[in-house]
Amino acid sequence: MRVVAKRILRKFWEKHSDSEQQLKTWYKEASKADWLNPSDIKSEYSKASILKSGRVVFNIYGNKYRLIVDINYKRQWVFIRFIGTHTDYDKIDANKI
């Protein structure tokens, strides 16, 4: 997968240093992944939430943080749409951000 907008992750871990290692690990794993559909993600990340329209929510650092991505399975692209605290996540609509 080609992960678009790594700088969003970098900016986040500069503010929340406890997320850095897990975000780097997620980025590395996602970049090497060959996800063809949501079930491929669920087999690797059982706690990920599959939303409509290709959106997926990953729990980071024991669910302290939430990462929302938009995936184009055909083109193998992952677009980072949101990274924030669980409280920030509760204030947004994950299907629209």
Side-chain angles (χ1 to χ4, degrees):
M1 303 296 287
R2 179 171 178 243
V3 181
V4 178
K6 182 181 180 182
R7 68 178 167 75
I8 293 170
L9 299 180
R10 189 177 304 115
K11 283 183 177 183
F12 187 80
W13 77 55
E14 286 172 357
K15 289 183 179 180
H16 304 275
S17 60
D18 59 344
S19 69
E20 182 175 0
Q21 277 312 117
Q22 289 206 352
L23 287 172
K24 284 181 176 179
T25 298
W26 177 88
Y27 180 85
K28 185 178 179 181
E29 290 172 356
S31 295
K32 292 180 179 180
D34 186 24
W35 298 323
L36 301 175
N37 55 56
S39 62
D40 289 345
I41 294 171
K42 287 298 272 186
S43 67
E44 196 172 331
Y45 294 94
S46 62
K47 295 189 178 189
S49 299
I50 307 299
L51 307 178
K52 56 186 168 184
S53 302
R55 297 277 172 111
V56 180
V57 180
F58 293 93
N59 299 321
I60 304 295
Y61 197 66
N63 207 19
K64 184 175 180 181
Y65 305 113
R66 293 281 182 99
L67 171 64
I68 302 173
V69 300
D70 190 4
I71 300 177
N72 182 316
Y73 295 100
K74 185 176 180 180
R75 293 192 174 166
Q76 294 285 287
W77 291 345
V78 177
F79 296 94
I80 296 170
R81 304 298 299 155
F82 170 87
I83 177 71
T85 66
H86 196 87
T87 303
D88 293 336
Y89 173 82
D90 288 341
K91 296 175 185 175
I92 61 154
D93 182 344
N95 288 302
K96 293 182 181 177
I97 196 162

